Amino acid sequence: MPIRVLLVEDSAVALIILKRILSTSPEITIVGTARTGKEALTLVPTVQPDVICTDFHMPQMNGLEFIQEVMVLYPRPVLVISASVQSDDTQNVFQLLNAGAVDVFPKPKTGLASDYELIGRELIQKIKVLAGVKVFTKHRKSQPPVSDNRPSTTAPAPVNRKPFRLLTYPGRVNPRRFRPHLLKRLRFWRLVLRRVAPKPYIQF
């Protein structure tokens, strides 16, 4: 079965040249064309392409936005054919590949039909390779909740704290009368230490 290709290109001249190049291969059939990313997005579930060839700069929805939507809704191998993916356009290439494009193919800088013919065989070969690539659905990133930065009107819950007790003499107890109680406790612990602690034990 021939490879089903969807062409997405806003330039009428470039679209005609690309159709002419791909039609020279019996292994490729063009199942649809679109001038914008939005138009192409409605065509994908209808024509069921094996490979999508798209431009980068387009009205309404550019190639980057189109690829992001395709990889969420109808994952397909995407080849970006654009003059903005030359060897020195590293940032554009990185964004497109990160969005889900499988590969990029630079258009001739001159835009002449004769220059397109020179790269035609390479373009056809690249589409054949992409047809065998399996891609996966990319899920949308969840957005964190937006804070309105307004102060909260609810009062904080009361904290249940135990009352702090200071270890000292009772308020109405005479310290002199409290001293025998302390001595009694000290004698008790001295007897305990004599029985359980090895000699020499601590003397009070």
Side-chain angles (χ1 to χ4, degrees):
M1 292 181 60
I3 301 169
R4 302 168 61 85
V5 175
L6 172 63
L7 289 177
V8 188
E9 173 62 64
D10 64 324
S11 171
V13 175
L15 187 60
I16 292 173
I17 296 174
L18 290 173
K19 289 174 65 176
R20 184 188 305 165
I21 292 173
L22 299 184
S23 62
T24 60
S25 173
E27 300 178 60
I28 295 176
T29 179
I30 299 172
V31 295
T33 60
R35 302 289 294 273
T36 67
K38 282 189 175 181
E39 181 185 354
L41 204 59
T42 61
L43 282 177
V44 174
T46 303
V47 300
Q48 292 294 319
D50 299 315
V51 177
I52 298 175
C53 297
T54 181
D55 193 9
F56 186 12
H57 301 291
M58 296 180 293
Q60 298 183 10
M61 179 184 288
N62 61 31
L64 181 63
E65 298 167 336
F66 171 63
I67 293 170
Q68 291 171 341
E69 292 298 317
V70 166
M71 300 311 295
V72 171
L73 302 173
Y74 321 107
R76 298 285 194 284
V78 179
L79 175 65
V80 180
I81 306 174
S82 173
S84 299
V85 293
Q86 307 292 336
S87 58
D88 54 344
D89 296 318
T90 54
Q91 185 175 358
N92 291 342
V93 174
F94 175 79
Q95 289 179 342
L96 292 166
L97 297 180
N98 189 51
V102 177
D103 206 348
V104 296
F105 191 85
K107 289 179 180 178
K109 294 182 179 180
T110 61
L112 299 176
S114 57
D115 292 334
Y116 272 96
E117 299 294 338
L118 295 175
I119 62 173
R121 184 176 300 177
E122 183 182 353
L123 176 60
I124 290 173
Q125 183 61 34
K126 184 156 290 194
I127 292 175
K128 291 179 181 179
V129 172
L130 261 69
V133 175
K134 186 175 182 180
V135 296
F136 300 93
T137 303
K138 294 190 71 172
H139 299 285
R140 301 184 193 273
K141 295 182 179 179
S142 58
Q143 297 293 331
V146 180
S147 174
D148 55 4
N149 295 324
R150 289 182 296 181
S152 176
T153 57
T154 58
V159 179
N160 186 16
R161 291 191 177 96
K162 293 183 178 181
F164 177 77
R165 294 180 179 178
L166 183 62
L167 297 178
T168 182
Y169 294 117
R172 296 183 180 179
V173 177
N174 189 338
R176 292 183 178 180
R177 297 181 58 184
F178 196 65
R179 184 179 178 184
H181 173 73
L182 292 176
L183 293 175
K184 184 178 179 180
R185 300 300 298 175
L186 287 173
R187 293 192 192 100
F188 168 77
W189 286 111
R190 183 169 58 184
L191 292 174
V192 171
L193 288 174
R194 282 181 177 178
R195 293 185 178 183
V196 300
K199 294 182 179 181
Y201 53 84
I202 300 174
Q203 295 286 348
F204 289 93

